[in-house]
């Protein structure tokens, strides 16, 4: 029988390896940036065209290569970084597999220009599909420039698999940011289709994070630091109030390499427990230094997954370090998350047995079902839907709640109030547990949920303003300057019309800065930045709802962000205003998020408690 085993020709082997190393333009960017860093560059430029499909070029001012090394660098397993297997355990460089350049050259048109400081002229090499097509001396600055054109030109299936330029560019930006976030001492430039995306001069880490994610980030960061025998931890976490609904900035680096670790992520999230809402995500930039012998970074070809030897200890140390930072920098809850300190058990009651009071509320009970002015017992209706309750009201009293509450006292007394009630409607409101406003109606006790009720009030107000364009604006003496990253600014531009309608007045948009010349009356100037932030995050999330209009979505978001919160103390006047405004709404029974805004506990139920 004939022998059938063949050794694959090198260019075929390279193409196969390339499939593993180079999945998309962003992988090339990563490899080239890492090589530039390994070469000791202090300035690195990245130039990209059409999402990297037509050009990816990285220019560095690092040590460059000799003529022989320049040629060798494209050979598979050519690396200057290890010479024995033992070296693998003591690596401080990024690359070491010696595969990247060989792989890239197998599937693209590559041109390299390189010069070492000691050389008088440099070297220029052209390679296409693993074949050297040109080699000559060239005048070139110290360092290396590698341009990669027509990626996957010889693997059409791969090329067709690439996504739109925009998507590929996003991946490239992500890789770029990961690298820039580690090497803050290196200056980076990034151009796409001729326009500058990033210009990052060398700075400290905190400033680098701000360069990458917008200047407002700087004030949100809280440092973390810990040294133990097992691990060194440094970096920053974002203050809990800036947690985002969308998964925001979450970065782990191990020995200066970006990694993904659901396990360590969990550790960070658990440290934030109780400080941020359940559906929000904390931002963090955590840098771990571990003994290279205790971590296997290379279990995945794209090297973002790692295996730690002592994962459990790492988890615990990380968690307590972050908790410590949160405590030390006094960033414990600034926002209220429905936690009401008044409802906490006082110390004197702890350890004592608790008898839970039982309140049964008949959800189908309709205080208005008996008809206006009947004065007698209310009938129960067999609906449990609160919208129906509202419809029922409309049928019996065409003027609606609002008229009942604000126009004529006699009418109210005749209906909602019992005869011995004081003349002033709602004169006897009180606040319960800083969460509810309680008033009496003829049939019993009215309990409204202050946050949801206010959301309803604001929602209808903003919706009206957005559609009728009559929001009251407070003109600012000095324009308010706010910093946003590019994506956020674009989104704000998109929303500028409806936002103008509710009272925002936009001045100029320059770079990362937005100037506001007016703000809605309702929002204090100092709170504008935060409101816009929340608005952007919420808008991006679209509130998970289908086809609601932009106006409605915006009104909801503003209502949610500006409504009084549970835990806020309301004085008597505000309580009254809230009740009156709620019942002046078109749909007082439900919050804009379809939650019940109020309930009525019938007298009968209260009587039962005393029987
Ligand atoms: P690795 O980085 O794993 O060693 P690469 O294929 O990425 O493998 O690079 C091969 C070799 O080429 C490197 O080990 C290095 O010696 C050299 N090299 C690559 N890029 C550069 C650069 N920008 N400047 C200097 N030398 C470089
Ligand atoms: Mg490399």
């Amino acid at each position: 029988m004939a022998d059938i085993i063949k050794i694959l020709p090198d260019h075929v082997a390279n193409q196969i390896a390339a499939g593993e190393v180079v999945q998309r333009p962003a992988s090339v960017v990563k490899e080239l940036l890492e090589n530039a860093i390994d070469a000791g560059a202090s300035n690195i430029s990245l130039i990209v065209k059409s999402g990297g499909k037509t050009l990816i070029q990285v220019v560095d001012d690092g040590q460059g290569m000799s003529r022989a090394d320049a040629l060798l660098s494209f050979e598979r397993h050519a690396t200057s970084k290890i010479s024995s297997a033992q070296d693998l355990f003591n690596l401080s460089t990024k690359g070491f597999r010696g595969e990247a350049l060989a792989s890239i050259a197998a599937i693209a048109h590559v041109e390299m220009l390189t010069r070492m400081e000691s050389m008088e002229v440099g070297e220029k090499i052209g390679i296409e599909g693993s074949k050297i097509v040109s080699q000559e001396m060239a005048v070139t600055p110290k360092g290396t420039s590698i341009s990669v054109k027509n990626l996957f030109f010889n693997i059409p299936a791969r090329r067709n698999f690439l996504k739109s330029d925009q998507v590929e560019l996003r991946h490239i930006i992500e890789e770029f940011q990961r690298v820039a976030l580690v090497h803050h001492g290196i200056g980076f430039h990034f151009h796409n289709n001729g326009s500058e995306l990033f210009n990052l001069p060398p700075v400290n880490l905190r400033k680098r994070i701000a360069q990458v994610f917008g200047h407002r980030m700087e004030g949100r960061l809280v440092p973390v630091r810990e040294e133990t025998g097992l691990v060194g931890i440094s970096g920053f976490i974002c203050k809990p109030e800036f947690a985002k609904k969308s998964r925001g900035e979450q970065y782990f680096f191990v020995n200066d390499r970006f990694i993904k670790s659901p396990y360590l992520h969990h550790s960070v999230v658990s440290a934030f427990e109780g400080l941020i809402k359940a559906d929000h995500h904390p931002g963090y930039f955590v840098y771990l230094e571990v003994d290279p012998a205790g971590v296997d970074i290379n279990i995945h070809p794209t090297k973002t997954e790692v295996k730690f030897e002592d994962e459990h200890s790492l988890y615990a140390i990380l968690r307590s370090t972050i908790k410590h930072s949160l405590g030390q920098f006094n960033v414990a809850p600034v926002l209220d998350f429905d936690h009401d300190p008044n409802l906490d058990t006082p110390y004197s009651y702890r350890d004592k047995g608790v008898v839970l009071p039982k309140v049964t509320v008949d959800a189908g009970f309709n205080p208005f079902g008996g008809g206006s002015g009947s004065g007698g017992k209310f009938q129960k209706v067999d609906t449990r839907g609160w919208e129906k309750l509202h419809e029922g009201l409309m049928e019996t009293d065409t003027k609606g709640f609002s008229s009942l509450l604000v126009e004529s006292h006699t009418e109210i007394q005749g209906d909602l109030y019992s005869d011995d009630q004081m003349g002033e409607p709602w004169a006897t409101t009180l606040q319960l547990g800083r969460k509810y406003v309680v008033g009496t109606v003829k049939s019993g006790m009215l309990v409204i949920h202050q946050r949801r009720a206010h959301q309803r009030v604001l929602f209808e107000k903003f919706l009206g303003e957005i559609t009728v364009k009559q929001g009251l604006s407070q003109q600012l003496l000095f324009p308010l300057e706010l910093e946003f990253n590019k994506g956020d600014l674009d989104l704000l531009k998109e929303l500028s019309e409806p936002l103008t309608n509710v009272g925002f007045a936009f001045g100029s948009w320059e770079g990362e800065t937005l100037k506001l010349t007016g703000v809605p009356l309702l929002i204090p100037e100092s709170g504008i930045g935060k409101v816009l932030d929340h608005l952007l995050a919420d808008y991006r999330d679209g509130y998970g709802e289908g086809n609601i209009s932009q106006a409605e979505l915006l009104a909801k978001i503003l209502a949610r962000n500006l409504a009084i919160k549970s835990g806020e103390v309301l004085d008597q006047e505000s309580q009254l205003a809230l009740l009156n405004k709620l019942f002046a709404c078109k749909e007082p029974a439900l919050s804009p998020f379809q939650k019940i805004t109020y309930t009525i506990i019938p007298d009968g139920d209260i009587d039962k408690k005393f029987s």
Side-chain angles (χ1 to χ4, degrees), residues 35-36 39 60 64-65 73 78-81 95-101 144:
N35 280 348
D60 69 57
M65 279 172 269
S73 67
T79 177
S80 55
K81 297 162 193 174
F96 54 84
R97 294 157 61 109
E99 281 183 325
L101 285 187
T144 304

Side-chain angles (χ1 to χ4, degrees), residues 442-545:
K442 188 164 183 182
S443 57
M445 192 162 86
L446 170 74
V447 183
I448 78 162
H449 191 289
Q450 66 186 41
R451 179 167 53 84
R452 295 179 188 174
H454 198 215
Q455 283 177 351
R456 162 55 60 183
V457 170
L458 291 180
F459 172 71
E460 293 198 4
K461 169 186 143 68
F462 285 122
L463 194 60
E465 288 175 358
I466 291 170
T467 39
V468 193
K469 312 181 193 237
Q470 59 170 20
L472 286 180
S473 182
Q474 164 195 354
Q475 292 306 304
L476 302 173
L477 207 50
F478 302 103
L480 182 62
E481 294 194 11
L482 298 168
E483 305 265 350
F484 290 96
N485 64 37
K486 244 186 102 5
D488 285 351
L489 266 190
D490 288 347
L491 187 51
L492 281 174
K493 259 188 206 158
E494 235 178 276
L495 295 173
S496 62
E497 197 193 319
L499 286 175
T500 305
N501 294 343
V502 300
F504 285 94
F506 294 97
S508 60
W509 314 74
E510 277 158 26
E512 289 189 333
T513 310
L514 163 66
K515 276 193 187 153
L516 286 174
T517 55
V519 297
L521 259 193
L522 208 70
I523 316 177
E525 201 180 322
S526 60
I528 291 283
K530 201 152 134 193
V531 167
L532 287 178
D533 272 345
H534 285 278
L535 182 137
L536 288 167
D538 284 354
Y539 194 82
R540 284 225 166 79
D541 290 356
Y543 256 88
E545 278 167 61

Side-chain angles (χ1 to χ4, degrees), residues 293-332:
V295 47
D296 183 1
I297 295 197
N298 208 20
I299 57 169
H300 193 268
T302 55
K303 296 177 250 173
T304 53
E305 277 149 41
V306 294
K307 189 120 201 68
F308 295 103
E309 223 168 60
D310 198 350
E311 261 187 347
H312 292 298
S313 313
L314 201 54
Y315 182 102
I317 295 169
L318 183 59
R319 181 166 186 267
S320 78
T321 304
I322 288 182
K323 280 198 154 205
H324 179 73
S325 281
L326 284 166
Q328 191 182 10
F329 290 90
N330 209 8
V331 286

